[in-house]
Amino acid sequence: KVNNPVPTWGGGERETTAAAEKRVPEFIRHRERLMSKADYEEIVRNTPGVEIGRVEVLPLVHPGQAEQKSPGVVTLLVIPKNDPHHPNAPVPDRLFLQTVCNHLSPRRILTTELHIQGPKYTNIWISISIEVIPGNDEGPVREKVKQAVFDFLSPLKGGFEKRGWPLGKDVESAEISAAATRVSGEIGRAHV
């Protein structure tokens, strides 16, 4: 009989047989070594104890010298799946980053300088005027438009591909207007 008198944390649901069978070829391909961009993404996502929402692998990028190529350097941008303190702009805490670092350290190539960091968000202000279809209540439509724009700009599910707002991409008013006009109840003439 197993008994654990101390509370635990950082665990997850057990892996299904189908998920394990899917993982076997990937494991054989990279053997838990960080060689390619795909290896980094996959191994980071499999870090035990943390839920990764997004991983961006930036080869040849040193965080302190982003404007020049840095041979032998890989920077990983990691965003947690959930952040109760910053739900619209999730930021990893120190423990999250340390857990990822501890998982990757024995798997990296000895000559690779590895940096793991969270995102640095840029604040933006958006003003949108909408026309509500007659017969619809303006308040709920306005909230739906607001949520649609938040979702479109989300670092986890934003952008046209819904894989997170692309790194370094400028926000364009026509794109925000398109996201707003897709809301039901809005007449299709959002002005940003």
Side-chain angles (χ1 to χ4, degrees), residues 51-66:
E51 290 187 78
I52 307 284
R54 180 174 174 185
V55 178
E56 291 288 340
V57 180
L58 307 171
L60 305 175
V61 174
H62 188 286
Q65 304 164 339

Side-chain angles (χ1 to χ4, degrees), residues 25-47 55 57 74 76 103-104 107-109 114:
E26 296 165 348
F27 176 80
I28 291 171
R29 180 177 45 82
H30 59 66
R31 300 209 185 266
E32 288 285 304
R33 290 284 171 227
L34 299 168
M35 302 290 283
S36 69
K37 186 174 181 178
D39 296 341
Y40 276 96
E41 289 172 357
E42 180 189 331
I43 293 172
V44 168
R45 287 193 182 280
N46 291 328
T47 303
V55 178
V57 180
V74 174
L76 298 176
H103 181 67
L104 298 181
R107 293 165 175 79
R108 71 177 175 84
I109 297 173
L114 184 60

Side-chain angles (χ1 to χ4, degrees), residues 94-114:
R94 186 186 56 75
L95 184 58
F96 185 100
L97 293 172
Q98 189 62 50
T99 301
V100 173
C101 182
N102 291 343
H103 181 67
L104 298 181
S105 187
R107 293 165 175 79
R108 71 177 175 84
I109 297 173
L110 186 60
T111 57
T112 301
E113 182 179 332
L114 184 60

Side-chain angles (χ1 to χ4, degrees), residues 125-137:
W125 296 94
I126 298 174
S127 177
I128 301 175
S129 66
I130 60 172
E131 292 182 44
V132 178
I133 295 174
N136 287 306
D137 191 9

Side-chain angles (χ1 to χ4, degrees), residues 82-91 121:
N82 298 305
D83 181 355
H85 301 294
H86 311 97
N88 292 324
V91 178
Y121 296 107

